């Protein structure tokens, strides 16, 4: 279990993370989402004890990460696949990890096989690894100590479609066996497929959290018509919100049945009418974070 309470990190007057609170339960995958610069990576670094919080607390399995005995045996972390010594081989990196955690050397071979790095690849220097190979090695290192919790920041970055599908199955299987997974990724479709719960952050604050199914079903209604402006005016007159939808049409908080009645009353022809949640996580994410997106700023 991961528990974050009023976690805040300030740099002078700037709050990179501002009073964030959420929990990640055992047996679940929680998608941690937000636009560039939202504070996701800073928050994950505080959970892992790499960045001290200005205020608030973060615990993993009931303790701050730094207080866990032999933390790699309890928590697997992948925050930056490039943060390894380029002059070492993949096998050497895992072997050093096994020595530090007090593991048997056979665990190295098991993890290399699990992530699909063959004997030849495991003997290459990291400087000769592709990004996808680095990610696989990082996942192997995170799983090396047979942890109960995984904290992963963009683990699918650089993986090909087959690799992404493999990783999806790996995380789902880990959670189904009682593990706890906190997953940050910009690959929204993959998060939608694998996640049970979602935490969405924008400009350092949580803008939405809860069960994925509940958040998607509450995303409102998307409608396309032969006269969007006329229907938008009618919806607003009836007390409903009406904004341009991602990809065209109107997004409203009215139910589909209410939209249909208002359109009939005002003689507006509908060409599409559906709950916004059926368009998936991407549309909901863009709606929630439209005011917070900051292109070109690191997360």
């Amino acid at each position: 279990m991961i528990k974050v309470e009023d976690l805040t990190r300030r740099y002078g007057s700037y709050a990179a993370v501002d009073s964030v609170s959420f929990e990640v339960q055992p047996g679940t995958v929680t998608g941690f989402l937000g636009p560039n610069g939202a504070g996701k990576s800073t928050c994950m670094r505080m959970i892992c004890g790499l960045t001290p919080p200005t205020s608030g607390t973060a615990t993993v399995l009931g303790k701050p990460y730094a207080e866990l005995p032999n933390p790699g045996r309890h928590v697997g972390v992948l925050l930056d696949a490039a943060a390894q010594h380029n002059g070492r081989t993949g096998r050497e990196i895992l072997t050093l990890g096994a020595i530090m955690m007090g593991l048997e050397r056979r665990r190295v071979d098991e993890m290399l096989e699990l992530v699909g790095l063959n004997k030849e690849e495991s003997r290459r220097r990291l400087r000769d690894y592709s990004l996808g190979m680095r990610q696989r090695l990082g996942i192997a290192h995170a799983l090396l100590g047979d942890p109960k919790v995984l904290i992963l920041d963009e683990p699918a970055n650089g993986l090909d479609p087959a690799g992404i599908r493999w990783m999806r199955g790996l995380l789902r299987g880990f959670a189904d066996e009682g593990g706890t997974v906190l997953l940050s990724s910009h690959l929204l479709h993959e998060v939608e497929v694998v996640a049970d719960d979602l935490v969405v952050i924008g400009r350092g604050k949580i803008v939405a959290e809860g069960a994925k199914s509940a958040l998607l079903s509450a995303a409102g209604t998307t409608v396309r018509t032969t006269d969007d402006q006329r229907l938008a005016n009618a919806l607003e007159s009836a007390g409903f919100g009406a904004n341009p939808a991602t990809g065209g049409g109107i997004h409203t908080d009215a139910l589909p049945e209410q939209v249909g009645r208002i359109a009939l009353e005002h003689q507006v022809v509908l060409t599409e009418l559906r709950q916004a949640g059926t368009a998936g996580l991407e549309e909901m994410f863009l709606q929630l974070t439209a005011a917070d997106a900051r292109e070109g700023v690191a997360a």
Side-chain angles (χ1 to χ4, degrees):
M1 178 177 177
I2 300 171
K3 188 172 185 179
V4 174
E5 296 182 286
D6 294 321
L7 200 61
T8 298
R9 175 63 192 185
R10 292 187 174 275
Y11 296 95
S13 61
Y14 169 63
V17 176
D18 191 357
S19 299
V20 166
S21 299
F22 63 88
E23 293 184 5
V24 184
Q25 298 293 334
T28 65
V29 177
T30 295
F32 191 33
L33 308 176
N36 289 338
K40 304 184 302 298
S41 294
T42 300
C43 189
M44 296 176 89
R45 287 180 61 85
M46 286 192 285
I47 294 172
C48 297
L50 297 173
T51 297
T54 303
S55 60
T57 60
T59 58
V60 185
L61 299 172
K63 296 182 179 181
Y65 181 89
E67 295 181 12
L68 291 170
N70 200 351
R73 299 289 293 269
H74 304 282
V75 186
V77 177
L78 175 58
L79 300 184
D80 184 358
Q84 296 283 7
H85 194 300
N86 279 333
R88 293 189 177 129
T89 68
R91 176 175 290 278
E92 286 171 346
I93 286 170
L94 292 184
T95 299
L96 286 171
I99 291 171
M100 293 179 67
M101 295 181 210
L103 302 171
E104 295 182 11
R105 301 295 179 86
R106 62 177 175 81
R107 185 67 178 169
V108 172
D109 292 316
E110 291 172 356
M111 291 301 98
L112 288 170
E113 182 177 356
L114 177 68
V115 302
L117 290 175
N118 61 39
K119 184 177 294 186
E120 178 186 348
E121 291 168 334
S122 72
R123 291 173 176 171
R124 291 184 196 170
R125 305 292 174 184
L126 251 66
R127 66 172 67 92
D128 300 319
Y129 270 30
S130 67
L131 178 56
M133 290 172 65
R134 285 176 180 264
Q135 292 287 27
R136 287 177 180 271
L137 182 66
I139 293 169
H141 199 283
L143 292 169
L144 189 62
D146 194 20
K148 297 182 176 68
V149 177
L150 287 177
I151 300 174
L152 308 173
D153 192 3
E154 301 291 347
N157 189 21
L159 293 180
D160 59 19
I164 292 173
R165 184 175 183 179
W166 161 80
M167 189 198 66
R168 183 199 308 162
L170 180 73
L171 298 183
R172 186 68 265 165
F174 183 88
D176 289 346
E177 292 178 2
T180 303
V181 181
L182 179 62
L183 169 66
S184 174
S185 177
H186 286 107
L187 299 178
L188 298 182
H189 173 70
E190 295 308 317
V191 174
E192 182 177 2
V193 171
V194 76
D196 304 291
D197 300 318
L198 300 173
V199 176
V200 186
I201 188 172
R203 293 191 184 272
K205 291 180 176 289
I206 290 179
V207 297
E209 67 171 313
K212 176 188 66 179
S213 57
L215 290 175
L216 290 179
S217 65
T221 300
T222 295
V223 56
R224 296 175 189 267
T225 78
T226 55
D227 191 341
D228 286 353
Q229 189 58 56
R230 186 176 180 182
L231 181 60
N233 293 338
L235 287 166
E236 290 174 348
S237 296
F240 299 107
N243 300 294
T246 304
I250 300 169
H251 178 263
T252 177
D253 53 356
L255 295 173
E257 296 85 351
Q258 294 169 320
V259 174
R261 291 193 190 100
I262 292 171
L264 177 62
E265 180 183 347
H266 290 81
Q267 296 185 331
V268 178
V269 176
L270 303 182
T271 58
E272 181 181 1
L273 178 64
R274 58 177 169 76
Q275 283 201 315
T278 61
L281 180 58
E282 181 177 359
E283 184 166 324
M284 186 201 77
F285 173 83
L286 292 173
Q287 290 161 3
L288 287 170
T289 62
D292 303 310
R294 293 185 289 185
E295 290 297 324
V297 181

